[in-house]
Amino acid sequence: MRGVIFDGKRTQVVDDLEIRDPGPGEVLVAIAAAGLCHSDLSVVDGTIPFPVPVVLGHEGAGVVEAVGAGVTHVGPGDHVALSTLANCGTCAECDRGRPTMCRRAIGMPQRPFTRAGEPLHQFAANSAFAERTVVRAVQAVRIPKDIPLTSAALIGCGVLTGVGAVLNRARVDRGDTVLVIGTGGIGLNVLQGARLAGALRIVAVDSNPAKETVARQFGATHFLTSMDGVRDILPTGAQHAFECVGRVELIRGAVDSLDRHGQAILLGVPPATAEASFLVSSMYLDKSILGCRYGSSRPQRDIALYAELYREGRLLLDELVTATYPVEDFDRAAEDAHAGKVARAVLTFQDTSSTVTR
């Protein structure tokens, strides 16, 4: 079968991958579509260290082909969106409703793929850049069949991370002020999360002026090409500032932009050894800096919720899909993503049409 692999030096699309059958508590999914996220590119450029060789991809949707023993919530033929969170469901963090903190779900990549008899790692417990993948049952969330799979694919990372950061981690409330630094795939979802939460002023900052139209479509009430004008719009500062780029100077900018009791939420991914600085004295008015993993999500709950919000026309998914590419055009999709030409590029493996027209 086809898939995109990275061997530590280069990426290539191959057609001779093999995958094992699902074991107990696992699901075999035929991938229809997968979003190309900057996290995949960060593995390739070394920003995110990961063992190789690896099958890339982590933001996908498809159709269940088979299930292992004990799996009852999905079955063959079901449409599913996949999460990257292979949490155990039994530890103290899972029991507290914090599956993103499950220690059994972090840093233990499996190797369900082989090529020429050699095992390959699975990226983010997912590897959606393959025609088929095996995931833990908890990662497969059934979705209505009238949602196009090209759009549904994006729920499992960009939407969970961006919207979840607003609703679950920052807990933005009605009438709040929000600053969003960077309007790529994550930033756009933060914008629409802030809109859903009822924020009063939502200021988007991006150096590319061409992104203003889409930023406003997703929820921005104001758009700036630099941080210089933020205080003109929010004279006392932002109650919530989301850094969605992963640059330390922008992290500092987010902290410096805060109002009293404000919070900076870090979503961008700088290099693993990057250090950021801030004035300690600036934090004493009850300000805070929050990390956020995967939107502090509970995927079985949140993916189903976001699917329903999409069906009601309240959550934008189709509009996130800037362009689709057959998997064989991975290099072109990656170039367009690097150049900032797309909010999300989506790779396709098969017919991605829905059974019902929305």
Side-chain angles (χ1 to χ4, degrees):
M1 67 179 184
R2 294 169 295 166
V4 180
I5 66 171
F6 175 60
D7 64 5
K9 296 181 180 179
R10 67 188 182 103
T11 58
Q12 58 179 319
V13 180
V14 301
D15 60 6
D16 56 351
L17 279 181
E18 296 183 359
I19 192 164
R20 62 171 174 78
D21 293 332
E26 293 182 332
V27 179
L28 175 67
V29 179
I31 299 294
L36 175 56
C37 174
H38 279 281
S39 294
D40 299 299
L41 302 178
S42 293
V43 172
V44 176
D45 67 21
T47 301
I48 297 178
F50 204 87
V52 294
V54 58
V55 181
L56 295 174
H58 65 285
E59 187 180 66
V63 180
V64 175
E65 284 200 348
V67 300
V71 178
T72 59
H73 73 291
V74 295
D78 284 341
H79 286 202
V80 292
L82 302 182
S83 85
T84 67
L85 199 58
N87 61 295
C88 72
T90 60
C91 69
E93 297 294 349
C94 287
D95 192 51
R96 292 187 183 104
R98 299 194 298 227
T100 57
M101 296 296 103
C102 175
R103 285 179 170 82
R104 300 182 194 177
I106 303 173
M108 301 182 213
Q110 302 298 307
R111 296 196 290 180
F113 300 95
T114 57
R115 183 177 184 232
E118 295 296 322
L120 291 86
H121 290 282
Q122 185 175 38
F123 179 53
N126 192 306
S127 289
F129 292 169
E131 285 188 80
R132 289 170 180 80
T133 192
V134 168
V135 297
R136 293 276 301 273
V138 71
Q139 297 176 254
V141 183
R142 187 170 57 219
I143 57 173
K145 291 184 178 180
D146 60 350
I147 300 180
L149 290 171
T150 47
S151 298
L154 304 185
I155 301 177
C157 178
V159 176
L160 276 181
T161 299
V163 178
V166 174
L167 302 182
N168 301 326
R169 185 65 168 132
R171 298 186 181 274
V172 173
D173 202 357
R174 291 167 295 178
D176 285 356
T177 58
V178 173
L179 172 66
V180 181
I181 303 171
T183 61
I186 299 299
L188 290 177
N189 281 297
V190 172
L191 289 171
Q192 68 172 333
R195 170 176 53 79
L196 286 167
L200 179 63
R201 287 188 179 84
I202 307 171
V203 182
V205 177
D206 197 294
S207 60
N208 184 353
K211 292 186 176 182
E212 179 173 2
T213 299
V214 69
R216 289 184 179 276
Q217 179 184 20
F218 275 75
T221 60
H222 300 76
F223 183 90
L224 300 170
T225 55
S226 77
M227 295 286 289
D228 294 340
V230 170
R231 290 284 179 170
D232 294 331
I233 302 168
L234 304 175
T236 62
Q239 290 169 288
H240 313 274
F242 296 83
E243 201 284 334
C244 306
V245 181
R247 287 169 45 187
V248 293
E249 67 272 22
L250 296 179
I251 292 172
R252 172 62 182 267
V255 174
D256 289 346
S257 74
L258 294 178
D259 194 358
R260 297 182 178 192
H261 207 272
Q263 53 187 9
I265 301 91
L266 309 186
L267 298 178
V269 182
T273 58
E275 296 183 0
S277 64
F278 59 92
L279 293 174
V280 176
S281 61
S282 72
M283 302 300 293
Y284 289 126
L285 292 173
D286 285 0
K287 300 178 185 180
S288 56
I289 301 172
L290 305 181
C292 183
R293 181 171 189 260
Y294 204 39
S296 300
S297 297
R298 295 162 64 182
Q300 285 288 336
R301 177 200 66 176
D302 291 348
I303 289 177
L305 170 63
Y306 299 155
E308 287 304 314
L309 288 173
Y310 166 82
R311 297 176 84 202
E312 293 180 4
R314 298 168 62 189
L315 184 81
L316 304 181
L317 292 180
D318 303 339
E319 295 81 359
L320 285 168
V321 183
T322 313
T324 60
Y325 306 76
V327 67
E328 290 80 7
D329 285 348
F330 171 81
D331 287 341
R332 182 165 63 92
E335 289 174 5
D336 288 350
H338 270 304
K341 295 180 180 179
V342 292
R344 263 301 191 267
V346 175
L347 302 179
T348 59
F349 291 88
Q350 52 182 272
D351 181 9
T352 56
S353 61
S354 59
T355 56
V356 179
T357 302
R358 178 175 182 261

